[in-house]
Amino acid sequence: MKCLSVKEIASILQIAVAVLCLPAVLLFSMVISFPDDMKLFMYQCSLTTTMVLCLIFGCSTWFYNSNYPKTRLHVRILIVIVLWIMFVLGVATAVLFDLQYSGELIYGLFEPDMFDTIDLVFLYIGMILGALAHLILLIVNIILTVGVIRRGRK
């Protein structure tokens, strides 16, 4: 049996990020509808964009291969830059969202009886899934950045 290469492990981790982003977005949409909270909507957009890009980039390992080394390097650089941008955007929107919904701040914008316990559980599970997705994305970004730097030196 053949061992997976680092590139394939990074691709599997990208697909795992996409799999974690989807339930987080779905849980958030079950609690608060779109026009009620723009910070939640920004966080959902960030997670959804990260999900789609991670699926595309994760599957590109098996479905896209260029015969030209310079083109492969440029594609890798593009993937690294886009994933770092999505990581920073995701962390920024997550911090804005978590600050709004942590502790007593949740009742600054909404009525206290608007959320029942299941809604709060959905919010916190979605936050945990989003944080886990961003942590895995950070690991993938570090792996890919080191790989691109090594390839660029050759």
Side-chain angles (χ1 to χ4, degrees), residues 77-127:
I77 291 171
L78 172 78
I79 289 172
V80 166
I81 290 171
V82 169
L83 287 181
W84 275 113
I85 290 171
M86 289 314 303
F87 175 75
V88 170
L89 178 67
V91 168
T93 56
V95 166
L96 285 174
F97 176 69
D98 288 344
L99 285 176
Q100 180 177 349
Y101 286 98
S102 61
E104 297 297 321
L105 295 177
I106 191 168
Y107 301 122
L109 297 173
F110 299 104
E111 296 293 324
D113 56 348
M114 178 183 169
F115 297 110
D116 55 356
T117 55
I118 195 74
D119 290 340
L120 291 175
V121 168
F122 283 165
L123 281 175
Y124 289 124
I125 290 174
M127 287 181 205

Side-chain angles (χ1 to χ4, degrees), residues 10-82:
S11 295
I12 290 171
L13 287 175
Q14 286 177 350
I15 293 171
V17 167
V19 168
L20 287 174
C21 287
L22 181 63
V25 170
L26 292 175
L27 286 173
F28 291 143
S29 65
M30 289 171 49
V31 176
I32 301 173
S33 59
F34 160 60
D36 292 338
D37 188 11
M38 287 307 290
K39 290 180 182 164
L40 175 64
F41 180 67
M42 287 189 309
Y43 189 47
Q44 283 178 317
C45 288
S46 168
L47 286 174
T48 305
T49 307
T50 302
M51 176 185 65
V52 170
L53 289 174
C54 283
L55 275 177
I56 290 170
F57 295 153
C59 292
S60 71
T61 299
W62 294 285
F63 297 126
Y64 171 75
N65 190 13
S66 175
N67 293 330
Y68 303 107
K70 195 170 188 176
T71 304
R72 281 196 304 263
L73 179 65
H74 289 164
V75 169
R76 287 183 184 136
I77 291 171
L78 172 78
I79 289 172
V80 166
I81 290 171
V82 169

